[in-house]
């Protein structure tokens, strides 16, 4: 089988870098992109200078400001970031049509048919970085490897402005020294479980057999087992639409799981979500409910409806049941989110499109 040559590109501190690019007075300063503390904002991006203060994405603005009193807080300008993102993605498509965007600032590229060997893949990666910089005045980090898992691992290896190659022969070395929380598929919860077992690095994770990982993390355990052994068959999917969208809401004051405020927020979220589904002519069957508690612990639950729908009342009703199952105690809730994870065209639309073909 021919070797796949996969690139993973990740812009460096994307939102924060755009703000620093456009406002010379922000350059070299600790800066976050976030809504202000008074609005209970959360950090969505931080400059490298801000990271030096221990500030990271997901942290409340109030905490970030406490850590660094001179911190510049810039409210998010999503239209601008989206615009820059569009430029980046079209630059990437000049190099290959096989581009799979993962986020505004992240994409996989499959350059196998353009690059007969690793030398040419690395040259292409370097040209890519240069071209992105010429078009946007922003730096990015690129990982090059033979599958998605390792390419993504490579891109975060030397940030910012990095170019890292993980080869078919040296990949075990990379796996061994990497903290498990950096691996794709290992989030906070999984990472915590592993930490409690005394497992911090890939080297320690390699000692667990597949059965143990499956017992701990079900299907994902098996994926993790394969990935750290260099096996990841996922293809770069250039037809991928944004596979999920959702809405979140932060309460002005923390609320109980059984309260009118929560019910109302849930209703509004599902209405907004369904508006978006309807606009795109979509229905959804798989959803995700996210709950953030007052103590900033987070929990989420995936669930599946009996059939695809774009009816807010159907989604609302099921989401409520799921919420009651997820939150059984009296913990206060700070934020909730509802996401649609898949999209189907409604049956009637399918029929129409067939008719128009005739
Ligand atoms: Mg990034």
């Amino acid at each position: 089988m021919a070797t796949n040559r996969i690139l993973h590109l990740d812009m460096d501190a994307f939102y924060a870098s755009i703000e620093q690019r456009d406002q010379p007075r922000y350059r070299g300063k600790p800066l976050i992109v976030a809504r202000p503390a008074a609005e209970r904002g959360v950090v969505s991006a931080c400059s490298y200078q801000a990271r030096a203060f221990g500030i990271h994405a997901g942290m409340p603005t109030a905490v970030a400001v406490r850590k660094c009193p001179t911190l510049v807080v810039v409210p998010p300008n999503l239209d601008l970031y989206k615009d820059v993102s569009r430029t980046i993605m079209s630059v990437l498509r000049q190099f290959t049509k096989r581009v799979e965007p993962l986020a505004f600032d992240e994409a996989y590229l499959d350059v196998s048919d353009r690059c007969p060997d690793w030398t040419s893949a690395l040259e292409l990666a370097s040209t890519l970085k240069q071209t992105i910089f010429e078009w946007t005045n922003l730096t990015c980090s690129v990982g090059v490897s033979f599958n998605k898992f390792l390419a993504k691992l490579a891109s975060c290896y030397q940030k910012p402005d990095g170019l890292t190659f993980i080869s078919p022969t040296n990949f075990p070395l990379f796996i061994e020294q990497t903290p498990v929380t950096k691996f794709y598929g290992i989030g906070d919860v999984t990472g915590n479980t592993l930490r409690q077992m005394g497992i911090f690095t890939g080297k320690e994770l390699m000692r667990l057999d597949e059965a143990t990982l499956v017992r701990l993390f079900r299907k994902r355990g098996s994926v993790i087992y394969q990935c750290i052994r260099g096996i990841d068959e996922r293809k770069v999917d250039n037809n991928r639409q944004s596979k999920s969208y959702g809405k979140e809401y932060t309460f002005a004051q923390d609320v109980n799981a059984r309260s009118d405020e929560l019910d109302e927020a849930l209703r509004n979220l599902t209405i907004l979500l369904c508006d978006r589904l309807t606009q795109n002519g979509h229905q959804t069957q798989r959803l995700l409910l996210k709950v953030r508690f007052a103590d900033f612990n987070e929990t989420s639950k995936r669930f599946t409806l009996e059939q695809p729908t774009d009816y807010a009342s159907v989604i609302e009703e099921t989401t409520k049941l799921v919420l009651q199952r997820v939150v059984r105690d009296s913990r206060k809730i700070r934020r909730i989110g509802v996401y649609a994870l898949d999209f189907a065209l409604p049956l009637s639309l399918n029929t129409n499109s067939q008719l128009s073909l005739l």
Side-chain angles (χ1 to χ4, degrees), residues 10-14 105-106 159:
D10 186 19
M11 299 303 293
D12 301 321
F14 187 51
D105 74 323
E106 235 185 281
K159 264 183 155 302

Side-chain angles (χ1 to χ4, degrees), residues 244-258:
S244 75
Y245 47 67
K247 295 279 170 196
E248 296 202 354
Y249 181 77
T250 306
F251 296 100
Q253 263 168 8
D254 301 333
V255 299
N256 286 313
R258 283 162 189 76

Side-chain angles (χ1 to χ4, degrees), residues 84-333:
V84 182
S85 172
R86 243 178 255 135
T87 307
I88 293 165
M89 296 306 164
S90 51
V91 168
L92 298 185
R93 289 194 187 95
Q94 304 298 310
F95 286 80
T96 172
K97 293 295 161 223
R98 301 177 69 185
V99 176
E100 178 183 339
L102 295 176
F104 278 1
D105 74 323
E106 235 185 281
Y108 286 114
L109 289 84
D110 186 333
V111 297
S112 312
D113 46 6
R114 283 207 48 177
C115 302
D117 50 38
W118 289 117
T119 312
S120 56
L122 285 166
E123 268 165 23
L124 186 138
S126 163
T127 314
L128 194 79
K129 278 166 59 76
Q130 239 172 293
T131 316
I132 298 255
F133 187 78
E134 279 158 18
W135 278 83
T136 64
N137 258 304
L138 298 167
T139 62
C140 64
S141 298
V142 177
V144 182
S145 196
F146 56 96
N147 65 36
K148 281 179 155 183
F149 176 79
L150 292 167
K152 194 169 164 94
L153 190 64
S155 74
C156 68
Y157 212 76
Q158 307 177 64
K159 264 183 155 302
D161 205 14
L163 173 53
T164 307
F165 172 41
I166 298 184
S167 78
T169 47
N170 74 3
F171 83 86
L173 281 173
F174 277 87
I175 297 288
E176 278 183 10
Q177 22 175 297
T178 304
V180 291
T181 46
K182 290 238 167 174
F183 291 138
Y184 163 82
I186 300 188
D188 287 347
V189 179
T190 318
N192 258 333
T193 311
L194 291 170
R195 204 170 316 136
Q196 277 161 18
M197 296 168 68
I199 293 165
F200 297 92
T201 64
K203 187 173 188 171
E204 290 150 348
L205 189 60
M206 287 290 287
R207 295 199 192 114
L208 297 187
D209 58 26
E210 191 167 2
T212 308
L213 279 167
V214 169
R215 187 157 37 77
L216 286 169
F217 310 120
R218 283 169 294 190
K219 214 169 113 193
R220 199 152 40 96
S222 173
V223 173
I224 295 168
Y225 180 87
Q226 305 267 330
C227 280
I228 60 174
R229 283 162 180 79
I231 303 162
D232 175 11
E233 309 278 345
R234 287 174 301 152
K235 297 258 171 293
V236 172
D237 176 6
N238 46 293
N239 283 320
R240 179 176 166 150
Q241 309 290 327
S242 61
K243 279 241 170 80
S244 75
Y245 47 67
K247 295 279 170 196
E248 296 202 354
Y249 181 77
T250 306
F251 296 100
Q253 263 168 8
D254 301 333
V255 299
N256 286 313
R258 283 162 189 76
S259 64
D260 293 343
E261 291 98 320
L262 189 81
D263 286 350
E264 197 191 319
L266 211 55
R267 179 164 317 127
N268 289 335
L269 286 175
T270 49
I271 288 171
L272 287 173
L273 186 69
C274 289
D275 272 351
R276 172 104 190 257
L277 286 169
T278 322
Q279 269 168 31
N280 297 322
H282 282 142
Q283 297 189 327
T284 185
Q285 186 167 19
R286 289 172 52 238
L287 292 122
L288 174 86
L289 170 71
K290 239 164 95 174
V291 181
R292 182 175 257 198
F293 295 101
D295 60 4
F296 276 87
N297 274 316
E298 224 174 62
T299 183
S300 61
K301 180 81 191 153
R302 284 163 192 268
F303 57 100
T304 306
L305 304 171
E306 252 169 66
Q307 54 193 30
T309 187
D310 54 4
Y311 278 114
S313 56
V314 175
I315 295 178
E316 183 195 335
E317 200 179 312
T318 315
T319 311
K320 243 187 217 172
L321 291 174
V322 174
L323 182 78
Q324 283 169 14
R325 241 180 291 151
V326 171
V327 189
R328 288 163 187 259
D329 47 24
S330 58
R331 272 188 294 175
K332 294 253 186 174
I333 294 171

